[in-house]
Every structure is written in structure tokens, then in C-alpha cells.
Amino acid sequence: MAERNRGYFEAKNILALNLVSSPGSGKTTLLERTICELRERIPIAVIEGDQQTMNDANRIREAGAPVVQVNTGNGCHLDSEMVNRAVRELQPAENSVLMIENVGNLVCPSLFDLGESQRVVIMSVTEGEDKPIKYPNMFRTSQVCIINKTDLLPHLDFDLEKAKEYALQVNHHLRFIELSVKTGEGFDAWTSWLTEQR
Amino acid sequence: MAERNRGYFEAKNILALNLVSSPGSGKTTLLERTICELRERIPIAVIEGDQQTMNDANRIREAGAPVVQVNTGNGCHLDSEMVNRAVRELQPAENSVLMIENVGNLVCPSLFDLGESQRVVIMSVTEGEDKPIKYPNMFRTSQVCIINKTDLLPHLDFDLEKAKEYALQVNHHLRFIELSVKTGEGFDAWTSWLTEQR
């Protein structure tokens, strides 16, 4: 089913990104800002995964993008069946970007291919440098690593270079984008990457 | 097996705490400080759960407590079998406190009883207020909620009262302890609670 999703995305020239992270790393806020900055230029649709609540879907809708919320209940990850059903409902436009916000969990979602074009792992500087080696599967299966909340660096003992070194130990192809969704610092690198990929 | 563990802990009058949270909420740092502050008064032993690495066990050993590390590989949680094996190896003392640091994951560990006396969920103020309603199982099955990193509150838009309100929506018995492991603010409430429970 993941391959079927991949074929669908290819046919419609949709860039499908699987956004994975710990709870609270700032995925939804990243999407809100991305939609606000790009919506005039790039159509963006969103699939929101959460155990419970419609909160994130409401936030995305307010930001101005079509969205389908998938509640997984006791489930700890999105799977390709859920994404397939959500895509049928969402009907993302040709040449659009489909953002799939996975359940906040650094473990289980790493094992499930959704048919995405690229996997983007978000870590926040409040989480500690060693997350990539403690949750290696997620960092190994991602192509891009966003390091968020850099505005908090002055208040933390977080060694950015060490975090990147650890991440490269498990995946030396990983590309980093450092940014603060809150202040906008570094955000251009992310929107440029998105535009490029598309 | 969870009941068997519970019986073992009861027989030896061991207070067994299952510490659960997102990755990077500060569980290990909380344990380090707790061991340093209490080791003269209370024997503390630790079981460390992680997908990979011995990092946390090394940190706990340096803090001065006996520790067994359990690496779960692809596994997303500790289970009662793992804890049973670790307890045999660790041989915690009578009248001690056994800290079981679960894999950083707000989803799956909520479904697995380890035989613990109490479940302690740690959230950090960097994670956003809505985590309790987005990951309700974990907050519903915990008795205590530590809200960590309060030293960062001046730099965040985090509404502490709202976070507690959300948590009480899913579990109105939940008890809160607000603290900063880094600065020590509020830490007394945690050590008092521990001493009381024991």
C-alpha cells in the first residue's frame, strides 16, 4: 500500500513529506508558518496524525490549507492504509506539497513507510544532543533533519555540533536545517529546500 | 508477570516508579539530581530503558546508583518481562526506591504495566500545553505529573494553568509537581513526595 501511495503521488507530481518527531518539537507550528509563507506560491495539503483531538487540524485549517485529521486512538503511528484513505478524502492538487504530520513518537513511526517522497525528522534543541543515537532508526530512515527552537539556545546547554555529529554517525547522508519557527531565523533555508524539491 | 513484579516489590518494601515521558523531557537528569540529593538517606536503584546506547546507565552510575540498562532495539517500550530480568540482575535493596526509566515515548509505554507502585509522567514546558489531551492514555494511567524545565518559562508562550487543566480533564486524580531540575526550583516538592511515598 505504501508503494501504491507512492505511485499516486508520482502520477500527480505531489511532493509528499512524512514529518516525524517527539511530541512537542514544533511540527504543527512549523506547518502553520510554512503554509502562511508559501500558500500564494505553492498549494499545500495536510494530513494530521494524533492519538486524539482535532486541535492540529483546526490550526492548519485556520492557517489556510485543506486538512484531514486521522486519530489513531491507541495507535502509535500512521500507516500507509490510513494515509491512502486520507488522500482519497483530501484529493490533494497536482503539483502540490502534501505534508503528513505523523504521531509525535520517535520510535514506532520509523518502521512504517507511508509512500512518502522524503522523511523529515524534527528535533528541538530542548531535547538533548543524544537523541539521534538513542533513537537511531528514525534518524537513519530520514533524509532531512530540522533542528528547531534555535531561539532557545542561549538558555540551554545544548551542543548543536555534537547533536549533528551524533546524527551523522547513524546517517551520514542526513541534511540539516537549523531554524526557529518562532522568530523565523533560518526559516528561508527550509522554504528554499521545499521549493527546490518540488 | 507485572503482578509478579508487584509482589516482589511489596515483599521487599520497594517503591517502584515507572518514569514515562517524551524523549528529551529530562528524565535522566531528574534521576541524576535525585540520586545526588537523596543517596545518603535513601537507597536508589535504577533500570534504564532505551532503544540504543548505554549513555543513561553510565550517567546514573556516575551519579552513584546501581543500574541495569535495557536496550529495546526496535521496541518502543519496556515490558514486565524485561523489568523482571533486570530486577534479578540488579537485586535492589529492601526498603529502597527503584526508578524505572522507560523508553522516551508518550504512546506505547502507557499500555504496559510493569508492576510499578506508581507511574510518573514527566512533561517539559517546551512541549506545549495540549500534550495531555493528545496523548491521553499516558496521563490517564499516571498518578503523578512532573512539569519540568520551569526555568525556561520566561522564554516560552506556555500556559502552565492550561496544561494542568487539560491534564485534569483526562485524569482528575493527577497530582502535579512543577520543578526545574537545572536550577533546583521546586525540587524539594519532588524529594518530599518521594520520602512520603516510601
Side-chain angles (χ1 to χ4, degrees):
Chain A
M1 184 56 86
E3 288 304 340
R4 186 157 162 182
N5 292 344
R6 195 170 276 114
Y8 184 97
F9 299 143
E10 195 184 335
K12 288 195 147 193
N13 194 32
I14 292 168
L15 175 67
L17 301 181
N18 181 4
L19 304 178
V20 293
S21 81
S22 298
S25 65
K27 292 190 294 305
T28 316
T29 323
L30 175 86
L31 287 183
E32 286 176 310
R33 187 162 189 145
T34 308
I35 293 161
C36 291
E37 291 203 5
L38 295 182
R39 70 182 159 198
E40 307 294 321
R41 289 189 283 142
I42 303 177
I44 299 179
V46 179
I47 297 173
E48 277 296 338
D50 266 310
Q51 278 206 289
Q52 288 292 343
T53 82
M54 299 294 284
N55 291 9
D56 288 355
N58 295 338
R59 289 170 59 187
I60 295 301
R61 199 169 291 118
E62 270 174 42
V67 59
V68 167
Q69 175 89 43
V70 180
N71 279 149
T72 60
N74 277 339
C76 49
H77 61 273
L78 292 176
D79 65 28
S80 53
E81 295 277 352
M82 296 173 193
V83 169
N84 189 273
R85 278 195 300 275
V87 164
R88 281 168 203 273
E89 192 180 335
L90 194 56
Q91 297 281 343
E94 283 195 28
N95 308 312
S96 64
V97 174
L98 174 63
M99 301 284 198
I100 307 169
E101 183 179 336
N102 219 312
V103 177
N105 180 341
L106 270 186
V107 189
C108 317
S110 72
L111 303 172
F112 294 84
D113 182 9
L114 307 179
E116 69 260 29
S117 322
Q118 305 227 32
R119 190 171 289 184
V120 179
V121 61
I122 295 118
M123 67 183 287
S124 118
V125 298
T126 62
E127 292 170 26
E129 300 90 0
D130 60 354
K131 292 305 156 289
I133 52 173
K134 288 172 80 173
Y135 305 90
N137 286 345
M138 194 60 100
F139 288 82
R140 194 174 290 131
T141 59
S142 295
Q143 284 76 45
V144 177
C145 175
I146 293 180
I147 303 179
N148 189 18
K149 308 195 189 177
T150 53
D151 60 290
L152 292 174
L153 280 172
H155 314 293
L156 300 168
D157 312 311
F158 181 84
D159 186 336
L160 196 58
E161 290 313 308
K162 201 163 184 182
K164 292 199 272 187
E165 197 186 304
Y166 281 142
L168 290 172
Q169 274 176 28
V170 299
N171 178 0
H172 66 279
H173 294 297
L174 202 59
R175 173 170 181 163
F176 299 97
I177 301 174
E178 296 148 41
L179 54 79
S180 162
V181 176
K182 192 174 175 185
T183 66
E185 182 198 15
F187 208 79
D188 282 357
W190 162 241
T191 52
S192 302
W193 179 84
L194 261 180
T195 313
E196 231 176 71
Q197 291 302 311
R198 194 169 153 262
Chain B
M1 184 56 86
E3 289 304 340
R4 185 157 163 182
N5 292 344
R6 194 170 278 114
Y8 184 96
F9 299 143
E10 195 185 334
K12 288 196 148 193
N13 194 30
I14 292 168
L15 175 68
L17 301 181
N18 181 3
L19 305 177
V20 293
S21 81
S22 298
S25 65
K27 291 189 296 304
T28 315
T29 323
L30 175 85
L31 287 183
E32 286 175 311
R33 188 164 188 144
T34 308
I35 293 160
C36 290
E37 291 203 5
L38 295 183
R39 68 182 161 198
E40 307 295 320
R41 289 189 282 141
I42 302 177
I44 299 178
V46 180
I47 298 172
E48 278 295 339
D50 267 311
Q51 278 205 288
Q52 288 292 343
T53 82
M54 299 294 284
N55 292 9
D56 289 355
N58 296 338
R59 288 170 59 186
I60 295 300
R61 199 169 291 117
E62 270 174 43
V67 58
V68 167
Q69 175 90 41
V70 180
N71 280 150
T72 60
N74 277 339
C76 49
H77 61 272
L78 292 178
D79 65 29
S80 53
E81 296 277 352
M82 297 173 192
V83 168
N84 188 272
R85 277 195 299 276
V87 164
R88 283 168 203 273
E89 192 179 335
L90 194 55
Q91 297 282 343
E94 282 196 29
N95 308 312
S96 64
V97 174
L98 175 63
M99 302 284 198
I100 307 169
E101 183 179 336
N102 219 313
V103 178
N105 180 341
L106 270 187
V107 189
C108 316
S110 72
L111 303 172
F112 294 85
D113 182 7
L114 307 179
E116 68 261 28
S117 323
Q118 305 227 32
R119 190 172 290 183
V120 179
V121 60
I122 295 119
M123 67 182 287
S124 118
V125 298
T126 61
E127 292 171 25
E129 300 89 0
D130 60 354
K131 293 303 157 289
I133 51 172
K134 287 172 81 174
Y135 305 89
N137 286 345
M138 193 61 99
F139 288 81
R140 194 173 290 131
T141 59
S142 295
Q143 284 76 44
V144 177
C145 176
I146 293 180
I147 303 180
N148 188 18
K149 307 195 189 177
T150 53
D151 60 291
L152 292 174
L153 280 172
H155 314 294
L156 300 168
D157 311 312
F158 181 84
D159 186 336
L160 196 59
E161 291 313 308
K162 202 165 184 179
K164 291 200 272 186
E165 196 186 305
Y166 281 143
L168 289 172
Q169 274 176 30
V170 299
N171 179 0
H172 67 279
H173 294 297
L174 202 59
R175 173 168 181 165
F176 299 97
I177 301 174
E178 296 148 39
L179 53 80
S180 161
V181 176
K182 192 175 176 184
T183 65
E185 181 198 15
F187 207 79
D188 282 354
W190 161 242
T191 51
S192 303
W193 179 83
L194 261 180
T195 311
E196 233 175 71
Q197 292 301 311
R198 195 169 152 261

